[in-house]
Every structure is written in structure tokens, then in C-alpha cells.
Amino acid sequence: MKKIVYPGTFDPIHRGHLDIAKRASKLFDELIFAVADNATKKPLFTVDERVELIQKSTQDFPNVRAMSTNKLIVEVAKNENACALIRGLRHVSDFEFEFQMAMMNYHLDPEITTIFMMPDEKYIHLNSTVIKEVTKLGGDLTDYVSKDVYNALKIKYSI
Ligand code: ADP
């Protein structure tokens, strides 16, 4: 059984993430979202809320699940018997950071391969920060996040 881990903050999950997850989950038997419990980033949603929003947003994906972690991502992959990590690449500007991460993860565990994927061009400009800023100011983002995420954002911002 081939498994792949999709690590990230997902604060919150949006359709760019979902596009990558959908494509990657078709190439593997199981895709596991690993949501980073990383307090230094000061996320809007708690780690449990972010996991729950992923679960709700991926209900139609048959072989996807989500978990939280505060461990090294290669350790998560090893514990889950996954052979690969998936990361999204939007712009050239993503490349440098992703390259460093991939090399470090390769150093930590050469058995775990990082795979990069580009989303559909309609999601290339999306990121969670823009999603939060626009929702806070009352913009309609139903094209870019699931209904559950949109409702959760509105509750957070008391809209
Ligand atoms: P980060 O991991 O940098 O905190 P996220 O947790 O939001 O950011 O992203 C997790 C992964 O999803 C990263 O590989 C990131 O490049 C990717 N990603 C984020 N937004 C998009 C998008 N719009 N299209 C494709 N991939 C994306």
C-alpha cells in the first residue's frame, strides 16, 4: 500500500490545497494530511479545528485522512509507513523554501521522497493569508474555500 503525507499549516484549507490533495490521492492508495501544531506561526484556527475543517472539506475523497503533529515530518511519514511527501508549488518564489525543506528532509531520511505538484492555474494565486484577509473585510470567497471553511471563517471574524 503506497501512502503519501501532505504536510502544512492549513490555516485554513482552501481549494489550492484541495486541488493538490485530489490529484496526489489518485496516484497513491492513501493521502494523509499532517497538520503542523506550530505555535510560532500563530494560526487563526486551533490545530484541532484545522484537522476538522480538512476532514469536512475532503468528505468526498475516498482515500484521504487528516491528523495533527508536532513531530518532524519525515518521522510522521515513517510512522505512517508513507514513502513520499507532497508539496504544492505556486510560483518561483515558493521554490527556494521548498528546495531547502526537501533537501533537509532527504538528509534526515533518504527513503522519503518529496514530490512537487502545481495546482490548476485558477488556484495559483491562493494562499491562506489572503483568504483570511479578504473574508475579514467581507469579501465572498465561496469559490476558493469549502462551505464549512467559509462558515468557520465568518464565525471567527463575527461576520
Ligand atoms: P505553509 O506550509 O507554507 O505554511 P500551507 O500550510 O498553507 O503553507 O501549505 C501547505 C502546502 O500547500 C505547501 O506545499 C504549499 O506550497 C501548498 N499550497 C499552498 N497554497 C497552495 C495553492 N494555492 N496551490 C497549490 N499548493 C498550495
Side-chain angles (χ1 to χ4, degrees):
M1 182 148 164
K2 295 261 185 228
K3 297 187 193 178
I4 188 160
V5 171
Y6 189 3
T9 311
F10 306 108
D11 184 43
I13 185 160
H14 54 64
R15 294 208 192 281
H17 298 130
L18 290 169
D19 184 76
I20 300 289
K22 191 168 208 166
R23 288 161 199 269
S25 67
K26 287 184 181 156
L27 303 174
F28 285 79
D29 298 306
E30 187 174 41
L31 180 142
I32 305 153
F33 277 91
V35 182
D37 188 4
N38 180 351
T40 53
K41 272 205 168 180
K42 293 209 168 64
L44 176 66
F45 292 97
T46 67
V47 71
D48 291 340
E49 287 170 334
R50 284 177 277 144
V51 168
E52 194 183 334
L53 288 173
I54 292 172
Q55 285 163 343
K56 287 180 172 167
S57 304
T58 57
Q59 269 168 3
D60 298 338
F61 300 12
N63 58 339
V64 169
R65 66 183 163 91
M67 60 180 282
S68 62
T69 184
N70 53 15
K71 292 204 178 87
L72 276 175
I73 212 65
V74 289
E75 274 178 28
V76 175
K78 213 173 192 158
N79 291 342
E80 295 292 332
N81 287 318
C83 57
L85 307 174
I86 183 80
R87 295 285 291 177
L89 273 186
R90 288 158 289 188
H91 312 279
V92 180
S93 53
D94 278 345
F95 180 80
E96 195 170 349
F97 175 72
E98 294 295 340
F99 179 77
Q100 287 168 0
M101 284 287 296
M103 288 302 114
M104 184 53 78
N105 285 330
Y106 183 78
H107 167 78
L108 294 170
D109 190 341
E111 295 297 313
I112 310 286
T113 302
T114 304
I115 297 176
F116 295 104
M117 206 178 263
M118 281 150 214
D120 186 308
E121 63 184 345
K122 58 180 182 279
Y123 304 127
I124 213 99
H125 60 292
L126 269 192
N127 65 57
S128 298
T129 305
V130 168
I131 297 279
K132 286 179 277 192
E133 286 303 312
V134 173
T135 315
K136 193 157 64 176
L137 297 170
D140 181 351
L141 281 180
T142 42
D143 283 349
Y144 292 140
V145 292
S146 69
K147 220 171 155 197
D148 291 298
V149 169
Y150 193 53
N151 289 337
L153 280 165
K154 288 201 290 188
I155 291 168
K156 281 277 178 200
Y157 291 126
S158 314
I159 295 171

